[in-house]
Amino acid sequence: DAGVIQSPRHEVTEMGQEVTLRCKPISGHDYLFWYRQTMMRGLELLIYFNNNVPIDDSGMPEDRFSAKMPNASFSTLKIQPSEPRDSAVYFCASSLLAGPYNEQFFGPGTRLTVL
Amino acid sequence: DAKTTQPTSMDCAEGRAANLPCNHSTISGNEYVYWYRQIHSQGPQYIIHGLKNNETNEMASLIITEDRKSSTLILPHATLRDTAVYYCIVRVGNAGNMLTFGGGTRLMVKP
């Protein structure tokens, strides 16, 4: 398997524009997670899905952020409108099982810069 | 989930063992200890986890004290490629797979 795939790897946009980040989890994994990493706040969980259903979105910073998982092999994280403070690296991760052994496999991340 | 405390940074000589400590004095009985690491510009990578007993895999060993209030991740023969930020995470075993990352320890392996 190719691992978790994220696109684009880098995104530069201007304030006010819509940004869509994409993630393809590892085939067969039941859980999908979106994280954000900044120097100030470190790694933060934004939202996660189980079997395509959002389970906990308490980490989503505000209504400008939305995430969807239309099927088991694809998820999007959308920011509309984007702001400079959204600049960060966004990671997608997936895992196979609940329970104590729940290794999460992370993608390479999308580095977002909002000017 | 229990809070963890790790040193901000550590150095280790290449080829020597790297011992990374983690304090989790408020850990409860059903919480596991997980270790992940993040190499520069990459996503985090799972290393190992444990509940009570010491654990070993191909990457590292995890030593958990008898009272479970602290643990140590051991990289037996550190290489330059082990330079990374190491995160100690404590969480309930079946809590929807959520991971809460703290600041971690920045390990620098030097030649």
Side-chain angles (χ1 to χ4, degrees), chain A residues 35 95 97-104 106, chain B residues 1-6 20-24 27-28 30-37 44-53 55 57 60-64 68 70-73 85-102 104-105:
Chain A
Y35 292 86
S95 70
L97 293 171
Y101 183 64
N102 61 348
E103 177 182 355
Q104 291 189 16
F106 284 75
Chain B
D1 291 343
K3 183 177 178 180
T4 62
T5 303
Q6 300 178 252
L20 292 92
C22 179
N23 286 322
H24 32 80
I27 192 170
S28 56
N30 61 347
E31 289 183 314
Y32 288 70
V33 180
Y34 296 84
W35 284 83
Y36 279 73
R37 74 179 182 184
Q45 175 192 23
Y46 166 86
I47 301 173
I48 198 167
H49 79 282
L51 180 63
K52 297 180 182 178
N53 300 320
E55 302 288 343
N57 63 20
S61 295
L62 174 60
I63 308 299
I64 302 174
R68 303 208 320 122
S70 66
S71 60
T72 301
L73 179 75
V85 178
Y86 287 77
Y87 297 98
C88 171
I89 301 166
V90 173
R91 49 144 289 194
V92 176
N94 191 17
N97 288 342
M98 292 177 63
L99 294 174
T100 302
F101 289 84
T105 296

